[in-house]
């Protein structure tokens, strides 16, 4: 076994010892159930850990991660997580968190084939097409890339609001807010894009479900 593999097993033992030293009932309490106030939809990138970025503890964040933090309406995994979070756990907030330097978004800007993942990346390319005028007008490639990351998050927030799961929760009067963030790998800070949905009122009519 590799040194790394041994290390993470030892880390786990040390973590349990530290947690229970400060708070002997820590695990006992968690084992009684969860009611996290937040669902996090983030990128699978190893540098963007939901709990560490937000200073939250086990039990506070329900997490779904995939390449480029996408909300794809045929993704049973995402839909199941969303349904459980909204209808069973009754989370108050959903945050879609992208990050600058996202490899998935970068791939979507280019034409290189990567294999099976190209079919996932295609959803990100659609975002480029929706915002082609704005993105094409940005001469600096890094600035265009950064803006593409932001617009991708904005679109995923909209896509969440379009789901029947979220619209039905709002219809029932459930308090549920959807937010869009972008995380900077360079300095650790989050930028709130201020695309906050609390009802389907802001959706174009064609997406509104009765
Ligand atoms: Co990424």
């Amino acid at each position: 076994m590799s040194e790394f593999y041994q290390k993470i097993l030892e880390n786990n033992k040390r973590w349990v010892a530290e947690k229970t030293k400060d708070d002997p009932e820590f695990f006992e309490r968690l084992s009684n159930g969860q009611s996290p106030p937040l669902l996090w939809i983030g990128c699978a990138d190893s540098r963007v850990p939901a709990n560490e970025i937000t200073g939250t503890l086990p039990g506070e964040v329900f997490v779904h991660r995939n390449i480029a933090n996408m909300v794809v309406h045929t993704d049973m995994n995402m839909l199941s997580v969303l349904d459980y979070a909204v209808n069973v756990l009754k989370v108050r907030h959903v945050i879609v968190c992208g990050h600058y330097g996202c490899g998935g978004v970068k791939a979507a800007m280019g034409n290189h084939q990567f294999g099976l993942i190209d079919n996932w990346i295609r959803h990100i390319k659609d975002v480029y097409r929706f915002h082609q005028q704005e993105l094409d007008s940005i001469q600096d490639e890094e600035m265009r890339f950064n803006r593409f990351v932001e617009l991708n998050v904005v679109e995923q927030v909209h896509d969440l609001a379009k789901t029947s799961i979220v619209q039905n929760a709002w219809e029932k009067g459930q308090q549920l807010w959807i937010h869009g963030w972008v995380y900077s790998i360079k300095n650790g800070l989050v930028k709130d894009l201020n695309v906050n949905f609390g009802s389907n009122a802001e959706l174009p009519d064609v997406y509104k479900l009765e």
Side-chain angles (χ1 to χ4, degrees):
M1 294 293 168
S2 75
E3 242 173 79
F4 172 79
Y5 186 77
Q6 291 301 336
K7 187 184 77 181
I8 58 175
L9 281 170
E10 282 157 27
N11 285 351
N12 171 253
K13 289 198 187 78
R14 197 175 324 115
W15 177 71
V16 171
E18 277 167 18
K19 281 287 172 199
T20 47
K21 195 182 76 182
D22 299 342
D23 181 357
E25 263 102 68
F26 183 76
F27 292 103
E28 169 95 38
R29 212 168 43 245
L30 282 174
S31 70
N32 290 330
Q34 61 170 338
S35 60
L38 168 64
L39 167 62
W40 174 276
I41 298 179
C43 185
D45 193 301
S46 62
R47 298 164 296 180
V48 194
N51 283 92
E52 277 186 75
I53 288 172
T54 55
T56 46
L57 293 166
E60 291 188 295
V61 191
F62 203 61
V63 175
H64 177 77
R65 291 169 71 176
N66 62 39
I67 288 169
N69 40 270
M70 299 301 286
V71 175
V72 175
H73 283 205
T74 50
D75 178 359
M76 278 301 291
N77 186 351
M78 182 280 296
L79 290 174
S80 302
V81 168
L82 180 65
D83 183 52
Y84 191 74
V86 170
N87 290 319
V88 180
L89 298 174
K90 304 268 195 295
V91 296
R92 287 296 194 86
H93 301 273
V94 184
I95 292 171
V96 177
C97 186
H99 65 100
Y100 298 116
C102 183
V105 175
K106 181 85 183 168
M109 279 176 80
N111 300 97
H112 185 77
Q113 271 203 39
F114 293 94
L116 180 142
I117 198 176
D118 297 325
N119 301 288
W120 186 257
I121 301 288
R122 202 232 64 212
H123 294 287
I124 316 170
K125 287 182 180 284
D126 290 344
V127 174
Y128 197 103
R129 183 166 58 84
F130 296 152
H131 299 278
Q132 185 152 13
Q133 214 171 10
E134 179 184 345
L135 290 168
D136 279 354
S137 75
I138 303 170
Q139 299 301 310
D140 183 82
E141 198 176 327
E142 195 177 342
M143 282 172 71
R144 189 163 73 245
F145 180 20
N146 288 345
R147 186 60 185 147
F148 190 14
V149 166
E150 292 175 358
L151 289 171
N152 186 47
V153 168
V154 171
E155 286 298 331
Q156 304 322 304
V157 168
H158 279 76
D159 284 340
L160 268 176
K162 291 171 198 168
T163 62
S164 56
I165 296 165
V166 167
Q167 291 197 45
N168 286 336
W170 284 332
E171 181 64 30
K172 284 185 287 187
Q174 202 169 319
Q175 294 274 316
L176 180 65
W177 286 94
I178 311 176
H179 318 269
W181 287 8
V182 179
Y183 174 77
S184 168
I185 283 171
K186 284 186 182 160
N187 64 22
L189 290 170
V190 154
K191 178 178 178 181
D192 186 346
L193 297 176
N194 286 312
V195 275
N196 306 301
F197 274 71
S199 78
N200 69 0
E202 297 102 304
L203 281 179
D205 283 344
V206 74
Y207 294 113
K208 285 179 186 158
L209 303 174
E210 288 178 350

